Amino acid sequence: MNCNSYQELITGAVDGELTQEEKRFLSLHLEGCAGCRSEYDSEISLKTFLRETMLGHDAPADLLKAVSDDLRGQMAASPGSWVDRWKEAFSAPFARPALALGLTVVLAIIFLTGQPSNDIIDQSLARYEMVTEETFTVQYASSEPAILKTFFEARTDFPVLIPEMKDCKLLGGVLDQNPNGAVAEVLYDHASEHIFLSQISWNSLGKEGSLSIEADVKEQLLKENLFIRTMPNGNSVVLWKKGATLCAAVSTMSSDDLIYCLTSGDPELLSQH
Amino acid sequence: MPKHERSQKHKDFEEEALPHLDLLFNFARKMTNSSEDASDLVQETYLKAYRFWHSYEKGTNIKAWLFRILRNTYINRYRKESKGPDEVDFESVQNLNHKSNGHGTPPLDQALGSLMEDDVSTAIASLPDDFRTVVILCDIEGLSYEEIAEFVECPIGTVRSRLHRGRRFLRTQLLEYARKRGYANKSN
Ligand SMILES: [Zn+2]
């Protein structure tokens, strides 16, 4: 064997991660090879040097504060009346001294970012991003349409759509009860693009603890049953009402393609009943 | 969610997740080579972690869970600007590898003395993401291969080979900086 085949073993030896057998195998070679011995020494020096030079950096003092403020803002931004949220901020022991500041932060998060946290469109986009970024392993109830249907039926008071669509693979569904009441979410894969359906009871819209909807969006839905928005990043959102269910579809596809996909199995999917 | 549940969630999160702020910051600081970017990343990480706290399985490795969120946030934010690890040109490193019968870069020990901390940060920052991640976790944070494998979700063998290539790359860079600092390499 030439020296190249010992290089990764040298790395393992430097880190103390070799098995007894690997150790013996490497020592035999090192005894007779000055080149690899010097390679080993260099790697040790580098490792020691890195640890000594790159001292730990403690987080800046204001970071912990910023994070805590964010979290408080998140807690207060969960649905409920403003009065409740503020009462809660008061009752939380850690919040009292910084209450005034906390409120400012809450308001800043809600208004400066322009993202009221419980608007159905904002929520769908945020959830879509999180689910498809694969930052989190979503525990899907099932990727089997029939089982998923039963799962939702037992837990929601509105019919959940699990449409069959051409060339789309059902990845799974999940019920998000936190923090906005029951939102049924169904995710599909379409040639490595995603289609994400968020569904909610039409009657619960705008009620406390549930998602809300912009007035003009609601108006258009009542009039035409369909609402389409293209986001600055090219993502599309399609909202439609079907019986007691409000459904929001999000995808990176154009809205035309998205609608084409949605109706590819059931041409009546987007119609009122 | 009822109020008391919300407060409980907040309390659990503060007790379990927040103590790892320094660890996350330290890692982010070395990945980005910027204190401000690191703070931003950590802030975003905690926001996401909080929103998805219900998907954290109690009793599992919280550090690994937070770390994965940080790493994904980092990748999503910077991926577009940087090349993937496999596209990066390792030719120069490989060539050095084959010279002198498989032995890599010339000995580094003597050169290290001439380097500044900034040189080292810059050299680390120039490593491709996947290699930088393992080098930081192993050599600076002192994690074991097994822990790193759990953090980055790859096999232990991959950790070792990335470390090997990452260190090679780093040595080449550091020697280069040392030369610029006026260190005369004996073999030249
Ligand atoms: Zn050798």
Side-chain angles (χ1 to χ4, degrees):
Chain A
M1 284 172 95
N2 70 22
C3 293
N4 272 331
S5 49
Y6 290 95
Q7 301 308 305
E8 283 194 20
L9 282 181
I10 290 177
T11 297
V14 164
D15 296 320
E17 296 266 3
L18 292 190
T19 63
Q20 287 303 324
E21 200 184 329
E22 287 174 320
K23 259 189 220 165
R24 270 197 299 274
F25 182 69
L26 179 64
S27 334
L28 275 179
H29 178 78
L30 288 186
E31 272 170 30
C33 179
C36 282
R37 278 204 302 276
S38 119
E39 187 69 19
Y40 175 83
D41 290 340
S42 288
E43 205 161 325
I44 290 262
S45 319
L46 175 69
K47 190 178 167 77
T48 317
F49 174 75
L50 286 179
R51 189 161 298 176
E52 284 168 358
T53 320
M54 300 301 286
L55 296 174
H57 295 267
D58 277 343
D62 54 353
L63 179 60
L64 178 62
K65 198 178 153 307
V67 169
S68 302
D69 287 349
D70 277 354
L71 300 183
R72 211 171 299 138
Q74 281 286 308
M75 182 170 77
S78 13
S81 73
W82 280 101
V83 178
D84 280 348
R85 290 175 212 168
W86 290 355
K87 268 193 206 150
E88 184 163 24
F90 264 109
S91 68
F94 52 84
R96 205 183 296 266
L99 180 72
L101 185 72
L103 287 184
T104 317
V105 171
V106 171
L107 295 173
I109 288 175
I110 308 289
F111 297 118
L112 290 185
T113 62
Q115 286 195 336
S117 67
N118 54 348
D119 177 75
I120 171 117
I121 295 181
D122 290 334
Q123 275 286 329
S124 307
L125 286 166
R127 288 285 295 180
Y128 172 81
E129 185 193 320
M130 288 187 163
V131 169
T132 54
E133 262 181 10
E134 286 167 7
T135 300
F136 305 95
T137 317
V138 176
Q139 304 287 327
Y140 290 116
S142 175
S143 58
E144 188 54 56
I147 299 176
L148 196 56
K149 200 167 155 51
T150 322
F151 169 83
F152 284 134
E153 268 167 11
R155 290 167 180 81
T156 58
D157 54 358
F158 58 94
V160 175
L161 309 178
I162 310 172
E164 265 185 52
M165 300 182 277
K166 212 167 144 251
D167 299 327
C168 288
K169 189 173 167 290
L170 176 63
L171 293 177
V174 65
L175 194 67
D176 183 24
Q177 290 196 311
N178 176 16
N180 291 313
V183 181
E185 298 174 330
V186 186
L187 184 66
Y188 293 85
D189 179 88
H190 172 77
S192 79
E193 287 193 277
H194 290 99
I195 298 179
F196 181 69
L197 305 183
S198 293
Q199 304 175 48
I200 176 181
S201 152
W202 174 265
N203 290 327
S204 76
L205 273 182
K207 291 198 178 138
E208 194 179 322
S210 181
L211 297 181
S212 62
I213 188 166
E214 290 165 32
D216 52 338
V217 177
K218 187 172 184 177
E219 198 179 316
Q220 190 179 330
L221 279 170
L222 285 171
K223 212 159 60 190
E224 308 189 12
N225 208 47
L226 187 68
F227 176 86
I228 298 169
R229 181 176 285 173
T230 301
M231 307 310 293
N233 66 1
N235 286 1
S236 334
V237 189
V238 173
L239 263 73
W240 75 100
K241 180 177 176 306
K242 186 148 188 103
T245 308
L246 174 65
C247 193
V250 181
S251 179
T252 44
M253 297 177 198
S254 71
S255 56
D256 285 349
D257 289 349
L258 178 55
I259 290 175
Y260 175 81
C261 273
L262 288 169
T263 52
S264 61
D266 171 11
E268 295 299 306
L269 186 76
L270 302 187
S271 67
Q272 175 105 37
H273 297 291
Chain B
M1 194 175 8
K3 192 165 81 179
H4 64 274
E5 270 180 43
R6 246 186 282 163
S7 308
Q8 188 58 43
K9 169 188 168 186
H10 197 103
K11 199 165 151 272
D12 287 350
F13 190 86
E14 285 207 316
E15 279 170 10
E16 290 189 52
L18 277 191
H20 304 294
L21 186 98
D22 279 335
L23 175 91
L24 293 182
F25 175 80
N26 207 9
F27 177 79
R29 169 77 176 67
K30 284 171 183 111
M31 281 302 276
T32 59
N33 199 16
S34 146
S35 208
E36 273 164 44
D37 289 352
S39 290
D40 280 357
L41 267 179
V42 170
Q43 226 175 323
E44 198 177 333
T45 300
Y46 272 109
L47 264 177
K48 285 187 175 172
Y50 187 76
R51 285 157 86 175
F52 276 79
W53 185 233
H54 58 283
S55 71
Y56 166 67
E57 240 176 276
K58 278 221 162 166
T60 58
N61 188 341
I62 177 101
K63 275 196 279 184
W65 185 74
L66 288 169
F67 177 82
R68 281 198 293 271
I69 299 175
L70 176 73
R71 185 168 146 266
N72 281 314
T73 309
Y74 171 84
I75 291 171
N76 279 308
R77 190 179 288 192
Y78 297 99
R79 183 167 41 195
K80 286 153 205 123
E81 297 145 40
S82 67
K83 290 200 232 171
D86 295 325
E87 300 161 49
V88 170
D89 179 23
F90 271 87
E91 284 289 277
S92 54
V93 183
Q94 299 300 343
N95 286 342
L96 278 163
N97 222 344
H98 291 297
K99 265 184 219 163
S100 61
N101 191 24
H103 303 119
T105 46
L108 189 64
D109 340 16
Q110 306 98 315
L112 292 176
S114 61
L115 291 169
M116 309 283 177
E117 190 184 337
D118 270 1
D119 296 333
V120 186
S121 305
T122 316
I124 290 180
S126 72
L127 279 173
D129 283 352
D130 281 357
F131 298 90
R132 183 165 14 137
T133 304
V134 294
V135 168
I136 294 172
L137 290 177
C138 180
D139 291 346
I140 302 171
E141 304 297 339
L143 300 188
S144 70
Y145 285 6
E146 200 184 336
E147 286 175 291
I148 299 172
E150 190 188 354
F151 274 36
V152 303
E153 296 176 299
C154 74
I156 288 182
T158 309
V159 173
R160 186 166 81 180
S161 82
R162 282 185 191 168
L163 264 172
H164 175 69
R165 293 170 67 190
R167 284 186 187 144
R168 267 287 160 79
F169 192 83
L170 202 50
R171 277 163 64 188
T172 317
Q173 293 288 93
L174 288 176
L175 277 172
E176 196 53 43
Y177 293 138
R179 269 187 212 111
K180 283 188 197 142
R181 293 265 176 221
Y183 166 78
N185 192 315
K186 282 174 201 160
S187 59
N188 287 355

